[in-house]
Amino acid sequence: MVQRARQCKKSYGIGISHIRRDQLTFGPPNSSASGSPPASYFINPIGIWSIHLSAAELGATTSLTTDTLTTSSVNVNLAANEGSAPLITFPLEQGMGFVTGIYKDAQPFIESSVFFRGSFTFMGLVEGAFKYKVLLEDDMTWLFYVVPSYGTGNTPAFTQKSNTCIQGQQGFSGTIHVAKVPVNNGDAETRYDVSAGAKYSQAIYTTHLAGNVGLVEAALPKLKDAFEVFVNNTQKYPLVYNEVWKGLVSSAGYTDAGADFGNTYYNDHHFHYGYFVSDPHQPD
């Protein structure tokens, strides 16, 4: 939801609200229903903006436009005022694994109405993206994968101004991908790291189209090294062949059914393995 935030300043951006099942409130059983009576109603909390992506340049004159509208996706563009070039584009798609902000010469603001409990910690370079992690006051961990347009030469600077506001560097161009770590899913970060690799692959392909041969040649070996881990099946939880249903699944689910987003039980294979199909082809 595109909305106003009051944490850093009077900025505008996109608010991310992800409600857990334990946050729902259910009414009494519907006695008029036959069989096992369902709840007569349930209440889903509103106004919980765990993460808010914005920019210092966005304020009361912010202009919102959309483009590339399909049945399940749209690009949302935010500009400082009507008629000016967009500072952030949010490509929104039904079922997307990340919330992504594409910044164009703007100063990122990362905010939270739940409050940051811990610091905005740099976790290293992962699959060509600068990875950061932060814990919120609701005990939920959020991941951020930052891919600057200049490549991986310098670590993007972020300053935590308060328990509600993290401020990026001025004039930033590139992408920020945001994901929430599921509860009791210790391997979720690995899956998100792989997904970030797909974004890195897309960035390399875009750089190739722009004709920057030097940057492409510098980035490709890093992508190949990351992909090699999965080609050799040496990741934390290797893939195994399931003799019952005749499919390739994560070994993690044999001890925890929810691990790897249910991959062992054939959940979202088109989504999980799609990264591996698209990554090596895009740079070509």
Side-chain angles (χ1 to χ4, degrees):
M1 178 178 180
V2 177
Q3 48 105 44
R4 175 174 169 177
R6 296 182 176 86
Q7 281 73 49
C8 290
K9 56 174 291 186
K10 293 181 179 179
S11 60
Y12 287 69
I14 189 168
I16 307 171
S17 179
H18 186 271
I19 304 303
R20 305 186 308 275
R21 187 170 180 81
D22 62 6
Q23 293 176 286
L24 302 178
T25 299
F26 292 87
N30 185 350
S31 57
S32 63
S34 59
S36 178
S40 54
Y41 64 86
F42 77 91
I43 299 174
N44 187 75
I46 61 175
I48 302 177
W49 307 112
S50 297
I51 299 295
H52 184 270
L53 289 182
S54 183
E57 295 82 0
L58 298 177
T61 60
T62 297
S63 173
L64 184 153
T65 59
T66 60
D67 63 63
T68 323
L69 177 64
T70 72
T71 55
S72 59
S73 65
V74 66
N75 287 338
V76 175
N77 308 298
L78 296 183
N81 47 65
E82 187 174 355
S84 62
L87 294 171
I88 316 177
T89 295
F90 298 104
L92 306 181
E93 185 172 0
Q94 183 178 0
M96 60 189 186
F98 291 90
V99 175
T100 297
I102 303 173
Y103 285 77
K104 303 169 185 176
D105 195 23
Q107 182 176 19
F109 276 173
I110 300 172
E111 303 159 282
S112 176
S113 65
V114 179
F115 299 161
F116 301 118
R117 177 184 300 173
S119 60
F120 192 68
T121 306
F122 175 55
M123 304 302 293
L125 192 63
V126 177
E127 308 283 355
F130 294 93
K131 177 182 176 181
Y132 299 82
K133 180 190 294 188
V134 69
L135 177 68
L136 301 190
E137 286 292 354
D138 60 359
D139 288 322
M140 295 293 104
T141 298
W142 289 77
L143 305 175
F144 300 81
Y145 298 89
V146 181
V147 183
S149 60
Y150 57 73
T152 58
N154 298 308
T155 304
F158 287 91
T159 303
Q160 191 157 343
K161 307 295 288 186
S162 67
N163 63 352
T164 60
C165 176
I166 296 166
Q167 180 178 291
Q169 63 193 44
Q170 294 181 343
F172 174 77
S173 292
T175 58
I176 298 178
H177 310 289
V178 184
K180 179 181 178 181
V181 178
V183 178
N184 300 324
N185 195 330
D187 198 45
E189 283 193 44
T190 301
R191 183 67 61 177
Y192 281 128
D193 290 351
V194 173
S195 303
K199 300 296 183 182
Y200 186 57
S201 176
Q202 293 170 8
I204 293 175
Y205 182 61
T206 302
T207 305
H208 164 70
L209 293 178
N212 193 330
V213 177
L215 189 56
V216 170
E217 290 179 346
L220 266 179
K222 298 176 182 179
L223 179 63
K224 291 178 180 178
D225 289 344
F227 200 79
E228 193 73 13
V229 174
F230 298 93
V231 170
N232 294 327
N233 204 26
T234 55
Q235 64 270 29
K236 182 178 180 180
Y237 293 109
L239 299 177
V240 295
Y241 183 68
N242 175 244
E243 294 285 353
V244 178
W245 294 101
K246 313 301 181 185
L248 198 62
V249 300
S250 169
S251 55
Y254 288 106
T255 55
D256 178 3
D260 267 358
F261 298 93
N263 180 282
T264 310
Y265 293 83
Y266 295 90
N267 178 59
D268 283 347
H269 276 201
H270 64 293
F271 181 61
H272 298 165
Y273 298 140
Y275 292 121
F276 297 98
V277 173
S278 64
D279 277 9
H281 288 84
Q282 287 183 15
D284 290 342

